[in-house]
Structures are given as C-alpha cells and as structure tokens.
Amino acid sequence: MSSGLRIRDLCQQVIKGRRRFSDTVSAAPCHVDTRFAPITFDRQNALVYPDVVSMEECECIMEDVENVLRRKRYEKGHWDAVITNYREAELNSTRISKESHEVFLRIRKFIQKTYFGNRSIEWLPCHGIDLKKNGVLSAHVDSVKFSGEVVAGLSLNSSSIMRLKMSTNIAKKRTGHIDLYLPPLSLYVLTGSARYDYTHELLPSESTFYSHNLGEVEVGRERRISVIFRDSKGPNNISSP
C-alpha cells in the first residue's frame, strides 16, 4: 500500500469486495502499532480482528441502530466530559432485528470462547454509539463499577484510530502509546492492562496510522457508528486487578 493512501479508498475496496464472515476469526497484528509502546505492554491485551461481520450484516445493524436512535438528539457532552456530539442507546433484543441479535450473540460467543474459555460470564446490554464527524471521544478508562474484564467495539461505517496511553495514575513512571487501526467491519478487544491501566481515545480525522505491512495510512474519520460489548462485573466474573 502506498504511503498516504486515503482510507476512504480502502473502505470502498472493502465494501465492493463484500467479504463474508468466517468462523475462523484472526487478529491482525498489522492493525496495531506498538512502536512507541512501553516495554511492559502486553500486545495480547489490545487486538483488532478484521471482517468479523459481512457488509450485509453491517447494513442490517446500522439500520437497527438508526431506528433505535431516530428520535434522539445529538448530545453536546457526556456527564463525565469524555464524549461530545454523539447519540447512544442500549440495543436490547426487543429493539433490534433477529438478524442483528444473532450477530451480537455470535460476537459474544467468540469473545467468551477466546478470552474466558469455559468460564461462565454475564453480559451488559450492547450499546450503539453514533459519533458525528466532528465528535470527540477523549482519553478515558471505562468505569469498573459495573463493567468487567473486556471492552470490545464493532466498527461499522467509518475507519478510525484508537490510541492507548497509560492512565495518569502510572504515567509518571512510564510513557508511550499504542495505536489501533479500526477499519469498517472490524472488532477491537481490550483486556488486562489495556482495559484497566490504559486510557483509550479516538484520534481526530486526518490522523495517520503506520504499520510495517500497511505503511502510512491517512484516516479520514467520518460519522462513526459502533457497537460496544462489555461483560458484567458479576459474581461469575473475576474482579479487576
């Protein structure tokens, strides 16, 4: 891929190819830039899985999210000042199509098998988030009051770059960051230290992602719709470190 390739062109290639979901989902190391990561960072704690849904499934989920959010206005800010210019809602099974619900169950099954093994866990409701093109998702660590060990996100209609940085509690001792390239149809999963000790944020539009395989990719983030998966901090789940 040539340096500076516009991500919108790459998105069109994905859409035209209409890639289908495979039962074998593999993480893509080239989607995670760890050149500036602290030496203690565990690369298995932040992974990106491309093409976990088909384009048809993506369109179905987006339609459901649009219907759920139809009467909601874009919020200028969240109570914790983390996100601006966004809409958000729970995507309960009664509010979405059977097809979308089955996709969510499949993704949950994959996460549970990959990250929890045979351990029984409980799930929080999926959340649909619609972030405007000029919306901002600032650096934060997801609350541990109710959410458990995994934070995962399905990216639907726009590519973006997620940056992980050590939280302020430990940043004085170590510096550095990790960038995750999140193309449409991909799933990112944060666990372990990346879940608890690192903040995550979305970089502004026109930011650049780099990896040895992809080279430099300029990411023109558009309006972004995503679905968030979190396990519950219940009695069957291991508590945070």
Side-chain angles (χ1 to χ4, degrees), residues 66-132:
E66 289 275 14
N67 288 335
V68 173
L69 295 176
R70 183 174 53 218
R71 297 181 181 178
K72 283 183 171 288
R73 295 182 178 181
Y74 284 96
E75 301 288 341
K76 293 183 178 180
H78 193 259
W79 63 269
D80 57 7
V82 165
I83 187 171
T84 62
N85 292 321
Y86 77 102
R87 300 185 297 175
E88 180 179 16
E90 290 186 358
L91 302 176
N92 297 316
S93 59
T94 57
R95 307 181 73 184
I96 60 176
S97 65
K98 177 183 177 182
E99 291 76 13
S100 292
H101 181 59
E102 289 178 349
V103 173
F104 293 170
L105 291 178
R106 189 181 72 209
I107 292 176
R108 282 177 170 176
K109 182 179 179 181
F110 164 74
I111 294 173
Q112 179 162 354
K113 179 180 179 180
T114 304
Y115 293 93
F116 296 93
N118 295 324
R119 181 151 52 97
S120 176
I121 65 169
E122 299 173 356
W123 292 95
L124 295 175
C126 291
H127 273 72
I129 301 178
D130 178 1
L131 185 67
K132 295 180 72 172

Side-chain angles (χ1 to χ4, degrees), residues 19-190:
R19 300 176 185 174
R20 297 295 303 179
F21 172 83
S22 170
D23 290 334
T24 303
V25 178
S26 300
C30 64
H31 285 52
V32 182
D33 180 7
T34 57
R35 291 176 299 154
F36 306 106
I39 59 174
T40 57
F41 180 74
D42 186 346
R43 298 187 180 189
Q44 295 303 309
N45 287 169
L47 297 176
V48 179
Y49 300 86
D51 298 336
V52 299
V53 297
S54 69
M55 194 58 214
E56 291 86 351
E57 290 170 333
C58 174
E59 292 170 351
C60 180
I61 296 170
M62 284 187 60
E63 182 176 352
D64 283 341
V65 174
E66 289 275 14
N67 288 335
V68 173
L69 295 176
R70 183 174 53 218
R71 297 181 181 178
K72 283 183 171 288
R73 295 182 178 181
Y74 284 96
E75 301 288 341
K76 293 183 178 180
H78 193 259
W79 63 269
D80 57 7
V82 165
I83 187 171
T84 62
N85 292 321
Y86 77 102
R87 300 185 297 175
E88 180 179 16
E90 290 186 358
L91 302 176
N92 297 316
S93 59
T94 57
R95 307 181 73 184
I96 60 176
S97 65
K98 177 183 177 182
E99 291 76 13
S100 292
H101 181 59
E102 289 178 349
V103 173
F104 293 170
L105 291 178
R106 189 181 72 209
I107 292 176
R108 282 177 170 176
K109 182 179 179 181
F110 164 74
I111 294 173
Q112 179 162 354
K113 179 180 179 180
T114 304
Y115 293 93
F116 296 93
N118 295 324
R119 181 151 52 97
S120 176
I121 65 169
E122 299 173 356
W123 292 95
L124 295 175
C126 291
H127 273 72
I129 301 178
D130 178 1
L131 185 67
K132 295 180 72 172
K133 181 177 181 179
N134 64 345
V136 175
L137 181 66
S138 303
H140 68 285
V141 176
D142 280 27
S143 172
V144 298
K145 186 175 182 180
F146 302 107
S147 181
E149 301 173 50
V150 167
V151 174
L154 175 65
S155 301
L156 296 173
N157 66 319
S158 176
S159 294
S160 58
I161 301 174
M162 175 173 283
R163 174 161 292 179
L164 310 182
K165 295 186 295 187
M166 280 196 162
S167 65
T168 55
N169 295 332
I170 55 178
K172 294 180 180 179
K173 299 180 182 179
R174 305 181 184 92
T175 59
H177 67 267
I178 303 96
D179 285 345
L180 278 60
Y181 167 48
L182 311 177
L185 316 183
S186 68
L187 178 78
Y188 72 83
V189 182
L190 305 180

